[in-house]
Amino acid sequence: MNLTNFNNASDANLLSMYRAGDKSAISTLIERHKKRVFDHINIMVRNRELAEDITQDTFIKVLRFIDEDRYTDSGKFLAWLLRIAHNGVIDHFRQAKKQNHITEDDAGYDILNNKNFSDKTIEETMISTQIHSDVRKMVELLPSEQREVVMMRYFNNMSFKEISDTTGVSINTALGRMRYALINLRKIMKEKNLILSAN
Amino acid sequence: MPMDDTYTNNIFEEDEDLFFEQVIQEDFELLEIDMLLRLSFEDKKS
């Protein structure tokens, strides 16, 4: 198949071609979505170099999952890609947080060489802290049922099944409340002009 | 059911499937709010 045909092919078709042995089909698929994935990651990490690294890791994982037949196409390839990218960003922040926990012993000899200390200025840390505090205040503005689900999920790390059991509503209701909570928070953030910067 | 790694991973994946399919519903801007909430409450816990 020539390049024009590749560009006109759907994601599902390109995947089928790749699985049938046409290795170049995957390059078209990656090129098609690379910018969208990069932008999504960069909005959250606000660092181009880091966003490029996480984007690359995302596509490595995606290829591995496809090669191991762990992806079943349901017409939502981009959604699946962004989900893997999103998890990559979560992993990055978890890792960064872990590295920031310095014991007294470490601090005696390694504190000046710690990448996180040198990468993030005190001012940036203060801005992040302020944004996080503002976000928590915005959660207080949500209707009580939505606020409850947000607190259970993000503060208590509960699954939707656990939230459903605890609050006595169905899982679908808990999921619906979470969706409205996120939509309302987006609205509140836009009204209050909070810049969406995750780090 | 034993709380081994497989069980935990299955529960985690199932929960994540629900989150992406029924909360996000391909409105990817909501993922940014999700990330902000995660970090904001991590900040509070630490």
Side-chain angles (χ1 to χ4, degrees), chain A residues 68-124:
Chain A
E68 291 171 358
D69 267 339
R70 288 164 66 190
Y71 172 68
T72 311
D73 187 59
S74 57
K76 292 180 179 176
F77 184 71
L78 178 62
W80 181 63
L81 263 184
L82 290 178
R83 175 171 162 173
I84 293 171
H86 193 66
N87 287 342
V89 176
I90 293 170
D91 286 346
H92 159 73
F93 282 125
R94 277 187 189 144
Q95 195 61 31
K97 193 184 172 202
K98 212 182 280 179
Q99 285 170 1
N100 248 339
H101 283 169
I102 299 175
T103 65
E104 277 182 32
D105 286 348
D106 292 336
Y109 61 90
D110 200 33
I111 193 162
L112 294 175
N113 293 324
N114 185 284
K115 197 170 179 295
N116 289 291
F117 275 83
S118 55
D119 280 356
K120 207 169 186 179
T121 65
I122 291 170
E123 191 186 353
E124 283 171 335

Side-chain angles (χ1 to χ4, degrees), chain A residues 126-140 194, chain B residues 36 39-41 43-44:
Chain A
M126 284 170 72
I127 292 169
S128 295
T129 306
Q130 184 58 51
I131 289 172
H132 297 165
S133 167
D134 290 346
V135 170
R136 291 194 298 270
K137 282 179 193 154
M138 288 175 194
V139 170
E140 295 299 319
L194 182 85
Chain B
L36 260 179
L39 294 171
S40 299
F41 285 102
D43 212 13
K44 175 90 174 161

Side-chain angles (χ1 to χ4, degrees), chain A residues 178-188, chain B residues 23 27 30:
Chain A
M178 176 58 77
R179 178 165 168 79
Y180 282 116
L182 296 187
I183 289 170
N184 281 333
L185 281 171
R186 172 168 61 188
K187 199 174 149 201
I188 296 168
Chain B
V23 177
D27 180 351
L30 295 183

Side-chain angles (χ1 to χ4, degrees), chain A residues 36-71:
Chain A
R36 183 74 179 78
V37 171
F38 171 82
D39 287 346
H40 176 74
I41 294 169
N42 196 33
I43 281 171
M44 290 186 280
V45 301
R46 301 274 164 177
N47 175 325
R48 289 191 71 84
E49 202 180 323
L50 178 60
E52 277 164 15
D53 286 348
I54 299 175
T55 303
Q56 194 178 354
D57 286 347
T58 299
F59 282 107
I60 289 170
K61 277 181 201 158
V62 162
L63 272 177
R64 200 179 65 230
F65 288 150
I66 293 171
D67 287 343
E68 291 171 358
D69 267 339
R70 288 164 66 190
Y71 172 68

Side-chain angles (χ1 to χ4, degrees), chain A residues 13-50:
Chain A
N13 283 343
L14 287 170
L15 270 174
S16 301
M17 288 178 220
Y18 174 68
R19 283 175 164 150
D22 193 340
K23 299 294 177 197
S24 52
I26 203 73
S27 307
T28 306
L29 199 54
I30 290 172
E31 280 305 315
R32 180 176 291 173
H33 297 297
K34 199 167 69 180
K35 188 176 180 309
R36 183 74 179 78
V37 171
F38 171 82
D39 287 346
H40 176 74
I41 294 169
N42 196 33
I43 281 171
M44 290 186 280
V45 301
R46 301 274 164 177
N47 175 325
R48 289 191 71 84
E49 202 180 323
L50 178 60

